[in-house]
Amino acid sequence: MQKLLIIFSFFFFFNATLDESNIDIELSTVDSTTFEISWSVNIQDYEELILEINNNGTIEKYQIPTSAGSIEMCCYADEVEVTILVIVTKSIEQDSKECLAVDCYDFIKETYFNTKKISFPTTTTTTSTTTTTTSTTTTTIPPVVIEEKVDFLNIEITNALITSIPLFDDIDLTDQEKNSMAVIVSTSIIVLFYIVLLLQEWFNKILSENNIRWFKSDKEFVKSSKLKNILKISFVLILTSFLVGYVEEGASISIDLENIAIFIAAFIGLASVTLFSEGTEGFIESKYLKQKVKIKWAPQAIFFAMVSTVSFIYFNMPIGFIFGFVASSYIISQRSSAKISPKFFSSISLSIAGFGFFYLTSTEFVLNSTVMTAIASLSYLMCLEGVLFKSLPGGGNELFESLNDSQGAYKILPLVSFLIGVWLFIRILIISPESEFANFQQDILGMGSFSITFAIMLLIYILGILILGFGVKVFSDDE
């Protein structure tokens, strides 16, 4: 009867299936408070093994690393119930009539379990009697708290943004075979998404070249202290990183290890992109071309991140308008042109940084840590997207600026740098089976009718950026 109650409760509350034949548990006492658990799981391709220990209404959960093994557990009293849960993900092919893609699958998680119990004596009583007195001695075992050791560099990261970014070993750069084309609807939506990122660069460029009454003028900016600019840039960097983690973690403000890890990954990614792009250009202008350089904060980075946050809350879709630049360089130049444009060096350094972070995802040092993998993945994604969208006309337009700023045969260098960035972007983020494009396409196909709503959201956002951008150009003075 007791076993039937266990099966009944698991079915209705945990949706799990009892499997005594494939999940074997053996319990044996070691001493009065310690017992040994031995287990063997004969289920292939499981996703996760979880050990649950229920003692006096307190449930402890542990992740089991192997399908067979043993461990001693301390310190317990009374009755202890031990349960092993096996989580398996199965794919079921959908009917082609219900799906627009070539192959469609539903992924269903199933849970199997087995449970055993063991009992401990709680007290030891000794009674001694003499002719005059009777003494009773009771020995009580003090509780021992087991401290769970947490390895921050290897916490479990389920963040959709991080896990969807392909690693170095997922992409064969020598394989020339292209993937099959996606359906027209999903491809068009992805193109709209990249147009959004392009227009964000265009809007950022307009703000850096125009003065409006809501922003400080040139003289006020030049007079502002370095400390004040650093504080502003740091504020944008921290708040944008927080919003990225906030959106991707389900719009739930909580301080846990995964949220902190996503915040750190976004922080390093944003800082790296700004450093290798704006930082490189400003350094060359200042140190080698002797021009006056100021670094301005980019409050629009917060705006783009907030759009993602609001869209997620109201539409349950993290559309990921991540802005990779939290500062923009402001150069007071008195030169006509340079032999080699500083923008070439910023573009090539951003491409090299992007490939460097991408290559790090193949090293054992990074792969052995989920946090390090998240940092490298998000950083290379931002770098490769940044180098393309900053260069294209309609975006940052820095390719033409770099060509005009270079002299003679050196004009070929900005073009070479641009082609390298385009190749890396297409080869890593577009045509690979595990690319951002492929994963995004599957997400869109899984939206069903909501994909049309998502496309309308993108179109409205594009229209909004265009209106704001042209409004700034009309109601401001050129710098």
Side-chain angles (χ1 to χ4, degrees):
M1 182 65 181
Q2 187 177 19
K3 185 173 294 187
L4 290 176
L5 288 175
I6 294 173
I7 298 174
F8 181 83
S9 62
F10 266 86
F11 178 80
F12 282 97
F13 295 100
F14 298 95
N15 195 25
T17 302
L18 179 66
D19 191 344
E20 295 179 329
S21 60
N22 292 315
I23 305 174
D24 181 56
I25 305 175
E26 297 293 335
L27 306 179
S28 59
T29 56
V30 177
D31 55 36
S32 59
T33 62
T34 306
F35 70 100
E36 182 180 48
I37 307 172
S38 300
W39 70 88
S40 176
V41 176
N42 189 27
I43 298 177
Q44 302 297 321
D45 299 327
Y46 61 83
E47 182 177 336
E48 191 176 11
L49 297 179
I50 297 176
L51 170 66
E52 287 188 359
I53 299 178
N54 188 349
N55 180 225
N56 293 327
T58 301
I59 299 178
E60 302 171 5
K61 292 185 179 182
Y62 305 93
Q63 189 170 12
I64 303 177
T66 59
S67 60
S70 62
I71 188 173
E72 291 186 1
M73 304 297 292
C74 177
C75 301
Y76 300 91
D78 299 331
E79 185 178 69
V80 179
E81 183 181 63
V82 176
T83 303
I84 291 182
L85 301 170
V86 182
I87 300 174
V88 179
T89 300
K90 294 185 178 180
S91 61
I92 301 176
E93 187 173 2
Q94 292 183 339
D95 189 350
S96 59
K97 296 180 181 179
E98 301 177 358
C99 178
L100 298 177
V102 177
D103 295 308
C104 291
Y105 296 89
D106 276 336
F107 293 93
I108 300 175
K109 284 192 175 183
E110 297 181 348
T111 302
Y112 302 91
F113 77 97
N114 193 10
T115 184
K116 291 288 181 69
K117 292 183 179 181
I118 191 171
S119 298
F120 293 94
T122 57
T123 59
T124 302
T125 303
T126 303
T127 303
S128 60
T129 305
T130 65
T131 58
T132 58
T133 61
T134 301
S135 61
T136 302
T137 303
T138 302
T139 302
T140 304
I141 302 169
V144 179
V145 179
I146 302 176
E147 296 184 0
E148 182 180 357
K149 294 183 178 180
V150 178
D151 183 2
F152 176 72
L153 291 178
N154 284 290
I155 62 175
E156 181 183 5
I157 294 181
T158 58
N159 178 273
L161 172 65
I162 303 297
T163 55
S164 65
I165 303 175
L167 307 181
F168 184 89
D169 292 337
D170 294 331
I171 298 175
D172 182 7
L173 296 178
T174 62
D175 184 7
Q176 300 303 318
E177 182 180 357
K178 295 183 178 180
N179 302 318
S180 59
M181 293 298 294
V183 294
I184 296 177
V185 174
S186 62
T187 303
S188 300
I189 294 175
I190 295 175
V191 170
L192 285 177
F193 176 78
Y194 284 129
I195 290 176
V196 166
L197 299 182
L198 189 68
L199 287 177
Q200 287 184 167
E201 272 301 329
W202 170 77
F203 184 67
N204 179 58
K205 189 73 172 179
I206 289 177
L207 290 183
S208 66
E209 293 178 345
N210 295 271
N211 286 320
I212 54 178
R213 65 180 60 183
W214 300 282
F215 294 91
K216 290 188 174 182
S217 63
D218 293 350
K219 292 182 179 180
E220 290 175 325
F221 176 75
V222 171
K223 290 180 180 178
S224 62
S225 65
K226 291 183 179 179
L227 177 60
K228 191 173 183 180
N229 288 331
I230 292 174
L231 291 176
K232 287 181 178 180
I233 293 170
S234 300
F235 171 74
V236 176
L237 178 58
I238 292 172
L239 184 57
T240 305
S241 302
F242 170 77
L243 287 174
V244 170
Y246 176 77
V247 172
E248 298 302 330
E249 285 307 304
S252 175
I253 300 178
S254 61
I255 300 177
D256 56 31
L257 290 180
E258 184 173 3
N259 282 336
I260 294 174
I262 300 303
F263 170 82
I264 292 174
F267 184 93
I268 294 177
L270 291 166
S272 299
V273 172
T274 301
L275 175 65
F276 284 106
S277 178
E278 305 294 341
T280 299
E281 180 183 2
F283 178 80
I284 293 175
E285 288 279 6
S286 175
K287 300 300 181 182
Y288 292 96
L289 300 179
K290 307 303 180 184
Q291 303 302 307
K292 192 171 184 179
V293 177
K294 294 287 184 178
I295 301 297
K296 298 168 61 175
W297 70 314
Q300 60 270 28
I302 301 176
F303 170 76
F304 296 141
M306 289 185 67
V307 170
S308 290
T309 305
V310 173
S311 299
F312 181 88
I313 294 173
Y314 287 99
F315 298 99
N316 197 27
M317 179 61 198
I319 48 184
F321 295 146
I322 300 172
F323 186 73
F325 305 91
V326 295
S328 58
S329 59
Y330 177 75
I331 302 168
I332 304 174
S333 177
Q334 298 176 350
R335 61 177 177 81
S336 57
S337 63
K339 184 177 291 186
I340 304 176
S341 174
K343 293 185 184 297
F344 157 74
F345 294 102
S346 66
S347 176
I348 196 68
S349 65
L350 194 57
S351 294
I352 293 173
F355 185 80
F357 281 117
F358 175 58
Y359 180 76
L360 285 177
T361 63
S362 70
T363 62
E364 291 186 6
F365 171 74
V366 171
L367 290 175
N368 289 336
S369 167
T370 55
V371 175
M372 296 297 293
T373 302
I375 291 173
S377 301
L378 191 57
S379 297
Y380 95 68
L381 175 67
M382 290 183 177
C383 286
L384 294 184
E385 288 184 346
V387 71
L388 182 66
F389 298 130
K390 282 182 72 70
S391 300
L392 286 173
N397 200 32
E398 292 192 354
L399 173 61
F400 286 161
E401 293 179 5
S402 183
L403 289 171
N404 294 331
D405 196 30
S406 301
Q407 297 177 357
Y410 293 104
K411 290 180 180 291
I412 193 68
L413 294 179
L415 185 59
V416 171
S417 173
F418 173 73
L419 293 176
I420 291 174
V422 170
W423 182 80
L424 289 173
F425 179 86
I426 293 176
R427 192 62 192 89
I428 296 174
L429 300 180
I430 300 296
I431 67 174
S432 169
E434 299 296 329
S435 67
E436 181 196 38
F437 182 94
N439 291 324
F440 194 14
Q441 184 185 72
Q442 292 303 315
D443 290 340
I444 293 174
L445 291 174
M447 292 181 189
S449 60
F450 181 75
S451 61
I452 305 300
T453 304
F454 182 48
I456 295 174
M457 290 166 52
L458 292 176
L459 289 171
I460 293 174
Y461 188 52
I462 289 172
L463 181 61
I465 294 178
L466 289 173
I467 293 174
L468 284 175
F470 284 115
V472 171
K473 295 185 71 173
V474 171
F475 297 104
S476 64
D477 299 322
D478 292 337
E479 292 187 355

